[in-house]
Amino acid sequence: MNQEPLILDGKEFVMIAFFFWFAIGFMAGTVFASFFEWTLHRFFMHKPWKGFRYPFEKHALIHHHIFKADDTYHLVNEKDKKTIPMAWWNGPVLVALCQLPFLIWAFFTHKWGVLCGAAVACTVYFTAYEYMHWCMHLPKKRHVERSGIFYRLNGHHLLHHRYMQKNFNVVLPLADLLLGTLRLHAKFAFAQPQGPSVPNVQPKVKKLKRHSTV
């Protein structure tokens, strides 16, 4: 029995094309967010930039002064809880800034699905950033804290508090990997915090080779 070929009408074709470019935008937005986070963290949050000191003061001077790589990695004083998250308006501003290259590209190509996908990806990315960063410094045995991904990212961020010029990513360490700032273990032993969601980031112990006496 011969089957008639599937023919899409104009609206169906437009919807399929939109979701195709939406998926492209979502993947591209996720990758871009990793590099955007890395750039913001390294060049603005750890050093003042031409008189623009707000991110540097809030992060390097306050956050890192309170939360170090020892037991103070977890919240000690309740009054310091407010220094864990960004200000409420930071998230929308960061998401909006992330959209600039996608907006320009969509404007000239008329592929608006890319912009929508990137907007969703960046919103999810920085929402995950805020929530995971909150859980890292204020653990309460939440469901997310039992996941293997959180466990590894928690160690990744702990090492950033030990080595502030390493491990700038919190959510997706792709930029750290590709730009040479990834650190998996400490150089030297230190008194790190303990907990079920905190991995051992101490230096790897090299196994000594046994020499045969025969």
Side-chain angles (χ1 to χ4, degrees):
M1 183 176 179
N2 295 330
Q3 293 183 344
E4 294 182 1
L6 178 63
I7 300 176
L8 300 176
D9 62 27
K11 291 183 179 180
E12 291 175 329
F13 180 80
V14 170
M15 289 299 295
I16 291 175
F18 175 83
F19 284 112
F20 171 80
W21 289 109
F22 181 95
I24 296 295
F26 187 90
M27 291 185 290
T30 301
V31 173
F32 182 81
S34 177
F35 284 87
F36 184 89
E37 176 196 11
W38 186 94
T39 302
L40 175 69
H41 202 161
R42 179 172 185 178
F43 295 110
F44 294 89
M45 296 170 73
H46 279 278
K47 60 179 70 172
W49 187 77
K50 295 184 179 180
F52 181 52
R53 297 179 57 88
Y54 172 76
F56 170 70
E57 291 177 353
K58 291 294 183 181
H59 183 75
L61 299 187
I62 296 178
H63 181 71
H64 274 277
H65 177 72
I66 296 173
F67 299 94
K68 298 181 176 64
D70 51 20
D71 288 340
T72 60
Y73 178 74
H74 296 148
L75 182 69
V76 176
N77 298 314
E78 188 69 16
K79 64 181 178 63
D80 295 325
K81 183 189 294 186
K82 62 183 180 180
T83 66
I84 300 176
M86 296 184 289
W88 67 267
W89 55 268
N90 287 180
V93 170
L94 295 179
V95 172
L97 289 174
C98 279
Q99 301 318 299
L100 291 179
F102 299 100
L103 176 61
I104 295 171
W105 192 87
F107 179 80
F108 285 103
T109 63
H110 302 289
K111 302 294 190 298
W112 297 103
V114 170
L115 179 62
C116 294
V120 172
C122 293
T123 301
V124 171
Y125 191 98
F126 286 106
T127 299
Y129 175 101
E130 278 292 82
Y131 183 64
M132 294 180 71
H133 188 243
W134 176 267
C135 294
M136 288 171 179
H137 291 296
L138 186 56
K140 289 189 176 181
K141 297 181 179 180
R142 304 173 182 89
H143 181 72
V144 68
E145 295 173 32
R146 304 189 194 103
S147 69
I149 293 177
F150 180 88
Y151 181 81
R152 288 166 177 78
L153 289 177
N154 200 14
H156 182 83
H157 188 60
L158 171 60
L159 284 170
H160 171 68
H161 278 259
R162 179 67 174 176
Y163 305 100
M164 287 192 288
Q165 295 306 311
K166 296 290 183 180
N167 294 8
F168 293 104
N169 288 126
V170 172
V171 179
L172 178 63
L174 178 63
D176 277 321
L177 174 64
L178 297 181
L179 297 176
T181 55
L182 180 67
R183 174 167 288 282
L184 301 177
H185 297 278
K187 291 182 179 180
F188 307 102
F190 70 97
Q192 69 166 73
Q194 303 296 320
S197 62
V198 183
N200 182 358
V201 297
Q202 298 304 304
K204 281 189 173 181
V205 178
K206 294 182 179 180
K207 296 181 179 180
L208 298 176
K209 293 182 178 180
R210 294 182 179 180
H211 298 281
S212 176
T213 57
V214 179

